[in-house]
């Protein structure tokens, strides 16, 4: 035969057979208490969540738990590489997998190439500007002289 263990309606303590008492209100609600203290606090409309020795308070505030529950580890988000306008995802993935040294050499080579292009463009523009006139200063070209002549 199983023993029926009830719970105190105020404190949450267990009430074994032969202990505590039951109160039936006018609206036919029943309350079971283990001691008169619990009944008095319930009648005074005290909140068991604010009274430190009740099971309700202890459960709510994490007191007396022997085995602490571990937080579940959040699943790691797997990021999928998507293509960008003009560059495919495979190309991006290939660039990511390259070694640091290889990337460094590529960068240096690209810088050299850019410098060479700029140098060539500069030479070309100089050749164009010096093409038909020969070597003349800017003052001679404009026809203005700011010297102290004619005094």
């Amino acid at each position: 035969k199983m023993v029926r263990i009830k719970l105190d309606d105020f404190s949450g303590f267990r009430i074994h057979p032969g202990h505590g008492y039951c109160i039936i209100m006018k609206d036919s609600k029943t309350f079971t208490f283990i001691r008169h203290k619990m009944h008095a606090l319930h009648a005074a409309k005290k909140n068991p969540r604010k009274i430190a020795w009740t099971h309700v308070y202890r459960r709510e505030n994490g007191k007396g738990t022997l085995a602490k529950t571990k937080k579940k580890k959040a699943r790691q988000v797997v990021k999928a590489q998507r293509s960008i306008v003009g560059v495919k995802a495979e190309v991006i993935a290939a660039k990511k997998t390259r070694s640091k040294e290889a990337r460094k050499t590529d960068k240096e080579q690209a810088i050299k190439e850019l410098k060479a292009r700029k140098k060539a463009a500069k030479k070309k523009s100089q050749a164009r500007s010096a093409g038909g006139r020969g070597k003349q200063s800017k003052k001679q070209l404009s026809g203005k002289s700011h010297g102290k002549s004619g005094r």
Side-chain angles (χ1 to χ4, degrees):
K1 195 173 187 181
M2 273 196 66
V3 178
R4 190 106 198 258
I5 299 173
K6 296 179 182 178
L7 287 176
D8 186 298
D9 283 320
F10 183 78
S11 64
F13 292 158
R14 290 181 293 177
I15 305 171
H16 291 277
H19 296 272
Y21 58 97
C22 186
I23 292 180
I24 301 167
M25 306 301 272
K26 287 179 185 176
D27 59 353
S28 71
K29 284 185 182 176
T30 58
F31 294 99
T32 50
F33 301 106
I34 194 165
R35 289 185 205 97
H36 177 71
K37 179 182 182 179
M38 280 41 147
H39 177 219
L41 288 166
H42 182 264
K45 296 191 175 183
K46 298 288 181 186
N47 189 353
R49 287 176 179 84
K50 292 183 181 178
I51 298 172
W53 49 265
T54 61
H55 276 304
V56 180
Y57 173 89
R58 293 180 69 77
R59 204 176 302 125
E60 205 169 78
N61 293 290
K63 309 287 182 184
T65 51
L66 295 173
K68 290 185 178 180
T69 55
K70 287 184 179 179
K71 281 187 178 180
K72 276 189 174 179
K73 282 187 178 180
R75 289 180 182 163
Q76 285 186 337
V77 179
V78 179
K79 291 184 179 179
Q81 184 64 51
R82 289 187 284 180
S83 58
I84 304 169
V85 178
V87 184
K88 290 184 178 180
E90 295 86 33
V91 176
I92 296 169
K95 281 188 178 184
K96 275 188 178 181
T97 56
R98 291 196 74 195
S99 67
K100 219 174 192 179
E101 292 82 25
R103 273 187 261 143
K104 193 174 181 181
T105 54
D106 284 352
K107 189 176 180 182
E108 288 170 358
Q109 193 176 2
I111 291 168
K112 281 181 185 176
E113 202 175 295
L114 187 68
K115 282 181 180 178
R117 262 194 265 139
K118 280 186 178 179
K119 207 173 192 181
K122 194 174 184 182
K123 277 186 181 178
K124 202 174 187 180
S125 66
Q126 282 178 352
R128 257 194 242 139
S129 64
R133 293 175 278 182
K135 292 192 176 183
Q136 293 178 333
S137 68
K138 286 184 181 179
K139 286 182 183 177
Q140 288 174 340
L141 288 172
S142 63
K144 293 180 183 176
S145 177
H146 296 290
K148 294 182 179 178
S149 60
R151 279 192 189 197

